[in-house]
Amino acid sequence: MTVGVAARLSRYLQVLTQSKKMGKDRISSQEISDYTNINATQIRRDLSNFGRFGKRGVGYNIDSLLGEIRKILRTQGQHNIALVGAGRLGEAIASSPIFAEHGINIAAVFDNDPEKVGGSIGSMEVGDIRTLPTAVREKNIIVGVIAVPADSAPQVADELVGSGVKIIFNYSEALLDVPHDVTVHTSNPAVDLLHALYFHLT
Amino acid sequence: MTVGVAARLSRYLQVLTQSKKMGKDRISSQEISDYTNINATQIRRDLSNFGRFGKRGVGYNIDSLLGEIRKILRTQGQHNIALVGAGRLGEAIASSPIFAEHGINIAAVFDNDPEKVGGSIGSMEVGDIRTLPTAVREKNIIVGVIAVPADSAPQVADELVGSGVKIIFNYSEALLDVPHDVTVHTSNPAVDLLHALYFHLT
DNA sequence: TAGATTGTTAATCGATTAACAATC
DNA sequence: TAGATTGTTAATCGATTAACAATC
């Protein structure tokens, strides 16, 4: 499977999850297209790579399609992730239902500020960053989320990599140097905004 | 210009901005590639569409390339945006330097909670959501950022659209229905995480 | 000069789309 | 049956990559 297909399947998953919440029980490729801006033919083609999940003239059953896509993406189980940074952004991430909804469990929160260590975020205690390696090993964590200011981000990235984390979500604007077997996703709303503006102005 | 090219140019801009901060004054396509995971040939090809900005054997001058890309994306000036939601996420967004660095100015913050209206975020006063249409008109705002819980997001989207906003950044997991001339970018870290995990597990 | 890196060509591959028969 | 929507084909387009001459 290519990167593109997996990324799109994840987005279908979100639309299905939300549509289910809104009480719908079936959906057409055209409806998914309206929400994702992905062409309806592309959606049907992506799904038909893996089986015949729809009913002609009717659409897709939301529950059964959710199950099929989860099976394809192997996101049935729980995944533990570590959050580094107990500031405003860290709090916002920890309190968001977005992760839990997709079986992603924030298993540990860390900070290097002694003022914050020992405090709590949601129901979790903020741990000292020096206990990161132990937590990563014990809780089988492969994903780390960086929610610290840009100037501390490179050091946090080193610590995550040193602890054995293989996927890093970087919410700072810093550039991170990591080994080739580690994946970095940098999330920068300003960058997205720039190209959205470009097309608006054109 | 296609969507892809504009999106990539925006990412080059981020790498250049950060590299400049780190004191570098030139950069090669290979270095940009290391940070973005975009193929170096692709980067050179994207840039050479618009001119010959590099020096063979040397690379690109960071200052001059920054200027060229800003010219191409027309992001020279200031853009005013409206932020709706003065909770933890709203505060995190308002206090982040990411937007200011790219000439994006958070011109107004709104909330519907009377407890929060009149309070301040950074140096800005939180306005009543009912004053949104006036602010959008007076400050020439075309971008709205939604940082409220999913259940209020659809209503906020309606109010933004009604006020004349044309680009919405949605940080809730809600699905938004908007007219065709309005662009919605939904930012969902959990969705990104799912497909990152897929490739790790494979 | 020798080494490095751009700019560009040519070839390949995946994404996108329109169209429509199949069928619920 | 009539209407709707899937699954699939065929054609097109843009992205990606390797390779390398040009040139700093």
Side-chain angles (χ1 to χ4, degrees):
Chain A
M1 174 155 47
T2 65
V3 179
V5 178
R8 291 197 298 277
L9 287 174
S10 305
R11 297 187 61 197
Y12 306 156
L13 209 52
Q14 191 211 358
V15 173
L16 294 169
T17 306
Q18 290 305 117
S19 299
K20 184 180 175 179
K21 264 204 210 165
M22 284 154 56
K24 287 174 69 86
D25 57 0
R26 57 189 165 76
I27 196 166
S28 68
S29 57
Q30 187 54 54
E31 286 174 285
I32 302 179
S33 171
D34 290 340
Y35 284 120
T36 57
N37 294 315
I38 295 167
N39 182 282
T41 303
Q42 175 82 338
I43 295 169
R44 296 199 299 277
R45 168 187 269 277
D46 281 341
L47 296 174
S48 71
N49 283 335
F50 301 99
R52 291 172 22 182
F53 304 142
K55 270 205 174 57
R56 293 171 198 233
V58 178
Y60 299 90
N61 176 284
I62 289 181
D63 274 325
S64 97
L65 191 54
L66 269 171
E68 297 291 353
I69 297 181
R70 288 209 182 103
K71 230 185 286 171
I72 297 165
L73 293 177
R74 301 200 203 89
T75 55
Q76 302 278 35
Q78 287 284 317
H79 297 285
N80 284 337
I81 69 173
L83 171 62
V84 183
R88 280 176 292 233
L89 180 57
E91 278 189 59
I93 292 171
S95 64
S96 162
I98 284 183
F99 289 100
E101 259 175 16
H102 291 282
I104 294 160
N105 173 42
I106 300 175
V109 182
F110 301 95
D111 208 297
N112 60 0
D113 180 348
E115 298 255 321
K116 284 186 182 133
V117 172
S120 62
I121 277 200
S123 59
M124 268 170 305
E125 190 180 325
V126 177
D128 190 295
I129 184 89
R130 285 169 293 187
T131 63
L132 178 67
T134 315
V136 166
R137 190 163 9 90
E138 284 176 359
K139 296 183 176 166
N140 191 27
I141 289 172
I142 55 171
V143 179
V145 176
I146 299 182
V148 303
D151 52 4
S152 356
Q155 198 200 331
V156 169
D158 289 346
E159 285 166 342
L160 285 169
V161 169
S163 301
V165 159
K166 296 298 178 200
I167 300 174
I168 292 177
F169 273 71
N170 173 27
Y171 284 99
S172 82
E173 73 270 27
L175 301 177
L176 304 179
D177 280 311
V178 299
H180 279 296
D181 66 332
V182 176
T183 308
V184 175
H185 286 244
T186 298
S187 180
N188 194 325
V191 168
D192 298 337
L193 192 44
L194 287 183
H195 81 258
L197 277 170
Y198 173 81
F199 285 102
H200 178 78
L201 296 172
T202 305
Chain B
M1 174 154 48
T2 66
V3 179
V5 178
R8 290 196 297 278
L9 288 173
S10 304
R11 297 188 60 198
Y12 307 156
L13 209 53
Q14 192 211 357
V15 173
L16 294 169
T17 306
Q18 290 304 118
S19 299
K20 183 179 175 179
K21 264 203 207 165
M22 286 154 57
K24 287 174 71 84
D25 57 0
R26 58 191 164 75
I27 196 166
S28 68
S29 57
Q30 187 54 53
E31 287 174 286
I32 302 179
S33 171
D34 291 340
Y35 284 119
T36 55
N37 294 316
I38 295 167
N39 183 281
T41 303
Q42 176 82 337
I43 295 170
R44 295 199 299 277
R45 169 187 268 280
D46 281 341
L47 296 174
S48 72
N49 282 335
F50 301 99
R52 290 173 21 183
F53 303 143
K55 269 204 174 56
R56 292 168 198 233
V58 177
Y60 299 90
N61 177 284
I62 289 181
D63 275 327
S64 98
L65 191 54
L66 269 172
E68 296 291 354
I69 297 180
R70 289 209 183 103
K71 228 184 286 171
I72 296 164
L73 292 176
R74 301 200 205 90
T75 55
Q76 302 277 34
Q78 288 284 318
H79 297 285
N80 285 336
I81 69 175
L83 172 63
V84 183
R88 280 177 292 233
L89 180 57
E91 278 189 57
I93 292 170
S95 64
S96 162
I98 283 182
F99 288 100
E101 260 175 15
H102 291 282
I104 294 160
N105 174 43
I106 300 175
V109 182
F110 301 95
D111 208 296
N112 60 0
D113 179 350
E115 297 257 320
K116 286 188 179 131
V117 172
S120 63
I121 278 200
S123 60
M124 266 170 306
E125 189 180 326
V126 177
D128 190 294
I129 185 87
R130 286 169 292 188
T131 62
L132 178 67
T134 315
V136 166
R137 189 164 8 90
E138 283 177 358
K139 297 183 176 167
N140 192 28
I141 289 172
I142 56 171
V143 179
V145 176
I146 299 182
V148 302
D151 52 2
S152 357
Q155 196 199 333
V156 169
D158 288 346
E159 284 166 342
L160 285 169
V161 168
S163 300
V165 159
K166 296 298 177 199
I167 301 174
I168 292 178
F169 273 71
N170 173 27
Y171 284 99
S172 82
E173 73 271 26
L175 301 177
L176 304 178
D177 280 311
V178 298
H180 279 294
D181 65 332
V182 176
T183 309
V184 174
H185 287 243
T186 298
S187 181
N188 193 327
V191 168
D192 298 337
L193 193 43
L194 286 183
H195 81 259
L197 276 171
Y198 174 81
F199 286 102
H200 178 77
L201 297 173
T202 307

